[in-house]
Every structure is written in structure tokens, then in C-alpha cells.
Amino acid sequence: MSTLRRDLLSSFVVFLVAIPLSLGIAVASGAPIAAGLIAAIVGGIVAGLVGGSPLQVSGPAAGLTVIVADMVQTYGWRATCAITFLGGLLQIALGACRVARTALAVSPAVVHGMLAGVGVVLVLAQVHIVLGGSPEHSALKNLGDLPHQLMHPQSHPALLGALTIGVLLLWSRLPRHEGGGPLAALGRWLPGPLPAIALATLAAWALDWNAPRVDLPDTLLGDWHPPTLPDGPLPAIVGAVVSIGVVASVESLLCSVAIDRRRPAGVPKADLDRELFGQGSANAVSGLLGGLPVAGVIVRSTANVEAGARTRLSTIMHGVWVLVLALMCGPVIEQVPLAALAALLIALGVKMIDTARIRDLQPHREAPAYFATLLGVVVLGLGEGVLLGIGVMAVLALRRLTRLSVHIEEAIPTPQDRPGLADWHVVVAGTLTFLGVPKVTKALQAIPAGTVVDLDLDVDFMDHAAFDAIHQWRLAHERQGGRVDIDEVHEAWYERAVTGEMPPERKSSTSAPWWAPWANRQRPDQGPVLDTPEVSPSALLLAGVREYHGSTARLVRPIMAELAFEQKPEHLFITCVDSRVVPNIITASGPGDLFINRNVGNMVPRHGSRVPDDSVAATVEYAINVLGIRTITVCGHSNCGAMAALLAGGTEVEHLTALSRWLKHGNHSLARFISAEADERSPLTRLCQINVMQQLDNLLTYPWLRERVEAGKVELVGLYLDLETAKVHVLDRATEIFTPVADETSKGAGEASALA
């Protein structure tokens, strides 16, 4: 399907959604009915042309109804149009200052609480219209009058409202999947609000029911007059302008971000600053023409994406369709019952009270801000409710800054214990400020003198008061014959603070980085760990596991939990068993990235070899056919013992029968080495690098794999690790030359040089 055809079809779908919603929001806002249509037209055409989010659809938004209704009541409609115009200018200024990302700093808990509060206010007001009454301008007053209204409903509006809601519910249950038949196609291409309003309108006309209808002016602009400045205190007017500008901006930007995550391939990312400029332009024009405030609307935008839109033409054309309808079909629109529009808004308001948002906020403990904002909007008003929610979020943030846990446990002595292992283990987690000093010092002072203490600082911040308290306790403990080993999980707050104040040998029992060999890790009062005779290799291994549990396990636990039931590696990595080669270090990869096969000499037995061995072939088959890996890397290294044994003719390992049989798979590498010309490289280095080339060729002896490589479905890569320089070299298979892989610094310098 061509892009033009997709955009035209999706624009018509969005147009069908926009018409009933625009009319209903105008009614709920206390504005002229035509104001909703004008806002839909301007939102589609102006925001579509100027905005920075190609698939977002703008128009009158339910989230602004409470603000607009209050302004209409306070200042009148023409003054409200002036406020809309000024709010648009404010948005243009904000867009020009490129502060769009700042608006997203408002907590989602506050935003969703605001929308839920607006939904409650909307439902409480529109229920009265559905029941044949008139809503008050206070949500609490509407709630208080609701029992009386329920006891004395008007039958015709109530039946029309019930019919509208019933059609909406039935329409939402239609299948949407491909191949679902005519009903599925109907559900996908015809949005529920249109048949709901159409059926209610048809029923009211056919049965000649007495229910208030939409009242349109003779022309779209009616008796248009330019907006007039509101009459009232300046601070209140400025607050109204800021309310329109900020709320419309935040709602539009959040909608833009949400739609940007769902954009199809080939659609450019949203430019939020340009989008803010476009929304401001649309509001300025809408205010001048007598329309409602405009914002990005998630309902219409989602319909636009799901209908297959690819460019901003869909958004623009939806505004054109609304304009055509308003100019040519006024008498039809005037047959729509207000009760049906009110029922539509009740359904929309219920959707705005999204309980799924509460579940999302619970793990982050931000639900109090959500409920505070919701209640504030209902009881106090929209602006006051948002400020209340922001205040609650500030309190929660301050509370997090003081949250600190101190866990202390004494090691249980066993016969297997070795001298030097910690007697006490203390974990301090959270934000460590002066407020947490009493709690930490109380726990530390309970530790007996002369003991070995392993202190883990799992803190995201440490102020000077906290550092000084821990440091002074450490000095006192060590003066009494004890020892303190401090490990920091996040940033090295303590280490940075202590630099220059303590001798290096007293900083930690693990002064070497986590990736250093055990032999390089120093103890305060001894030499290298492996030189300490009383520490066995098994104790070293378990000490390493304990260090992993104390500092690393909690960091990788979320990743490991995600990978626990399914692995999705990116590469098959075939390398040597040599203990000096650590694939995850030289590739800066993490859990789940590499599917690794390690063997003596990083060899791949050839297909149909005399010495049969399927161990590597089985790995390759599983990686390609089950895991879907598309890259196979063979990585050799310098000073490889297997290659040295090949150069010596295998005499050094004749007594190792299994190893001798395995090394026969390197005979092709040795033959290739003998036939190649010598160069300045040492013979062992040449053979180590030639072996990588040969193993890549050995992979191609498997017909099924060769076919995929030649088809471009699988890529083969050769790497060589020079242990002396810790540099990795990559093979150019065309020239059979290994070249060092550029690091980030040299890569950046090269790019800068190229640009210059």
C-alpha cells in the first residue's frame, strides 16, 4: 500500500474519531459547539504543518475541559479565547527557548493523577446531562446533587445515554485481528464513537424523543468577534494563561513521547521543541478564531498510528475533513442529542481513570502523589491539585534522601574457616547523609574491638558528615587491633574522600580492580594473596564468590532474572581455554551477550575429519539454528601453548593421549604456516594468527554453514589478542592482515580529524 493511500485512509479514521469528541468536549467546557470544530480543524492543519511529531494528532483535549469551563464561567467566552491566544504565545516562547524536555520533568504520577481527576470531574458533570439535568460548576456540588438526579431522571436523555454507552461497550468487544472476518474489519476501520453517536441520533430522530440537541451557528465562525482581554486581577489572568500553556504543553509532549515509541520504521523521531512551537501556533490561531485550546490527544494519535499513517499528511487531512463536514453538514450535526455526547464523555472520563497506572506506580512508591493530585483536582481545582501533587512528590523525594538501611551480621565460625576472613559483615544501603549518621554509628559501635570487618557501602550519595563518621570509626577500630575492609558498590565516595589522608596500603583489602587476578590483590599486612600459604585455592574461590555476592550480585540480579528463562546472545565466540583470555573483558560484554565455546587452541574440527569430534560443530549448530546467532568469531591469542606444541611437533605432549589426538585438528594450520613466507613476526606469533584464519576456513567446510555465509546470512570474524599489550586485532580476510581495533579515544580523534 502506498504512503499516500495509507495517510488518506488513516486521516479519515481519525476524522471519524475527532468529530464526536470535539463536539462533546465543547459541550463539557461550556463553550460554543462550533469552538470544538474550530479547534479540531486548527489542531489538524496548523499543528500538523508546523509541529515536530509527524503522527501526533492535535485538537480539543478532555484534560483541558476543567480549566476551560472555569475560565468561561469566570471571564466569559471571548476573554477565554484571548487567554487561549496568549497561552499559545507562551508555548511558542517556550519552544523557541528549547525547554521542551524540561516539561517532561513533571512526574508521571502527577500527570496521570491530574488526568484521572479530570476524568472524575468530567464523569460527575456529564452524568447530570445524561439524566436530563444541568451540571454545576463544582465537582463536589455535582456529587452532592447526584442522588437526587438519579431518583428523578428524564427518560429520553437517559435512554439515549444508555444506548450510546451500550454501543461503545459492544464495539470495544469486536475482534481486531487480521482474518477475523467482516466484524474485525469493521472494528479496525470504524471507531466506536461514530456508530454510537450515529445510532443515538437516529433513534432520537426516528422516535421523535424530546432531548436537547446540538445548536450550531449559521456559519462556522458565527457572529465572530475578536477576543477581548479578560477583566480581573492581573495575577489571576497570568495564572490562567500559564495554566493553559503549561498543561497543554505537558499533555502534548507526553503524548508525543508515547506515540514516538510506537512509530513505524521510516518515520522520523519527534522534535519536541518544534512540537511545542507547533502546539503554540495552533493555540494562537484557535484563540483568534474562537476555538477551544488545542493539545496533542492520545486517543486520536493512537488511532492515527494503528490505521497505518506514515507522514504528517494524515494529521493535516483529518483537519480538512472536519472543515468540509462543518461547512456542508451543519443540519446533520444539529440532530445529535447532547445526552449522547455526554455519554461519550463519560466513557472517555472513565478511561482517563486508568487503574493500570496505579499498578505501575506502586513499585516506585509514587501512588500517594497520584491520589493526592486526583483528590486535589476534584476538591480544589486543577491548578491546586497539580501543585498538591508536586508537593507530595517533593516530600517523597526528600524521604528517599533520608532512607538508609544498615544490616550487620556476625560470621559463624566453622572448622573450614581460614585466618583473614571477615568476622563481621556490614552492609550500608541507601543515601548516606548526616541524617543517617546516628543509625550507622550505633551499628558500627556494637562491633567488638580487634575483629575483621567487611563493610559494604551500597550508597548512591555520601556527604562529608557521613564520611567523617565512618572514617573516624575505622581509624579507632584499627588502632585497637582490628581491620576494616571497605567495598563500594556504586561510585567511590569514600575512596575519593580518603585519598591523600591514608597510606595506600590501608585503603582496602582489595585495592586492585574487580577484574584483576587474585594474585594481584593485596592485603594490608601481607603481600599478594596467593603468596599467603594458609589461604587455599578453594578459599580464594569462595572469597571471590562472597565478594560477588556482596558487591555485584545485586547489580546483575535484574538482568539475570530477565535472562533466567531465555538466552538471546548476539555472537558465537570460539576462543582458547587459556586462563589469560577473558572474552567478556576484551569485548566489554555482559551476561547473555556471548555464546562461548572454549577449547585448546580455539580450533574447529573440519567436516568429515579423520579424528572425529562434534563438540564444536554441535555448538555451531545450536547457535545458528536454535539461538538464531548470525555472527561467529574465532579469537586466538599470543603465546598460545597449543600452537607452541604444534611447532614442537607434538613431542612435549606425547604422554597426553587425549590432547595429542585433539592437536591433530591443528595440522592444517601447521601446513599453512610452513607454506607461508616468513616475515618479521616470531614463528609462534605467525602460527597463532594463521591458526585463526584456518579455523575460519574450517567452518566453511560444513556445507550448510558455507551456504549461509555466502548468502550473507552469517558473518565470520577473526580476532587476535596480544597479551603483552592487551590489544585486540581484527582480521581483514581479503588481505589476511590483522590490524589493531581502534579504541574510543583514537576513534573520536580520527572522526574529528576527518571532519576538520
Side-chain angles (χ1 to χ4, degrees), residues 9-157:
L9 285 175
S10 57
S11 71
F12 194 72
V13 172
V14 178
F15 154 72
L16 296 178
V17 176
I19 287 297
L21 290 180
S22 299
L23 297 174
I25 291 170
V27 172
S29 302
I33 296 294
L37 297 175
I38 293 172
I41 296 167
V42 172
I45 297 176
V46 177
L49 283 171
V50 185
S53 182
L55 301 185
Q56 177 166 279
V57 181
S58 302
L64 295 169
T65 52
V66 175
I67 301 178
V68 176
D70 182 62
M71 291 178 184
V72 172
Q73 176 69 18
T74 305
Y75 302 110
W77 173 242
R78 289 174 61 190
T80 301
C81 292
I83 293 173
T84 301
F85 170 76
L86 294 174
L89 296 183
L90 174 62
Q91 288 180 289
I92 292 174
L94 293 175
C97 294
R98 307 188 68 81
V99 297
R101 290 282 174 186
T102 307
L104 300 180
V106 179
S107 169
V110 176
V111 174
H112 295 307
M114 177 196 74
L115 294 176
V118 171
V120 171
V121 173
L122 203 58
V123 169
L124 290 175
Q126 300 308 305
V127 164
H128 286 275
I129 297 178
V130 168
L131 297 175
S134 298
E136 300 291 340
H137 295 288
S138 164
L140 293 180
K141 181 66 173 172
N142 284 327
L143 183 61
D145 293 346
L146 188 58
H148 178 269
Q149 190 71 65
L150 289 171
M151 295 297 295
H152 304 87
Q154 293 186 19
S155 58
H156 290 169

Side-chain angles (χ1 to χ4, degrees), residues 33 178 200 230 236 255 278 282 303 324 329 349 355 393 403 497 501 550 570 630 632 668-669 683 751:
I33 296 294
E178 295 287 345
C255 176
V324 171
C329 303
T355 56
M393 279 303 302
R403 184 177 300 162
E501 297 180 16
E570 300 288 339
R630 294 294 174 261
I632 304 177
H668 286 84
S669 298
E751 291 175 351

Side-chain angles (χ1 to χ4, degrees), residues 724-748:
E724 292 85 350
T725 63
K727 277 280 190 180
V728 177
H729 301 243
V730 63
L731 172 65
D732 183 341
R733 298 192 66 198
T735 62
E736 296 190 345
I737 296 176
F738 284 89
T739 56
V741 178
D743 58 26
E744 290 296 328
T745 304
S746 58
K747 179 182 177 183

Side-chain angles (χ1 to χ4, degrees), residues 115-246:
L115 294 176
V118 171
V120 171
V121 173
L122 203 58
V123 169
L124 290 175
Q126 300 308 305
V127 164
H128 286 275
I129 297 178
V130 168
L131 297 175
S134 298
E136 300 291 340
H137 295 288
S138 164
L140 293 180
K141 181 66 173 172
N142 284 327
L143 183 61
D145 293 346
L146 188 58
H148 178 269
Q149 190 71 65
L150 289 171
M151 295 297 295
H152 304 87
Q154 293 186 19
S155 58
H156 290 169
L159 289 173
L160 290 172
L163 176 62
T164 304
I165 293 176
V167 174
L168 287 171
L169 291 175
L170 289 175
W171 211 264
S172 66
R173 300 184 186 279
L174 291 179
R176 296 291 194 275
H177 57 275
E178 295 287 345
L183 286 179
L186 192 65
R188 286 198 308 273
W189 293 106
L190 192 61
L194 188 69
I197 297 297
L199 192 58
T201 303
L202 184 62
W205 174 77
L207 299 174
D208 194 24
W209 279 354
N210 180 26
R213 305 295 210 272
V214 169
D215 183 19
L216 282 178
D218 295 334
T219 62
L220 185 61
L221 296 180
D223 55 346
W224 178 84
H225 295 285
T228 60
L229 290 175
D231 183 18
L234 183 60
I237 296 172
V238 171
V241 171
V242 172
S243 296
I244 288 289
V246 172

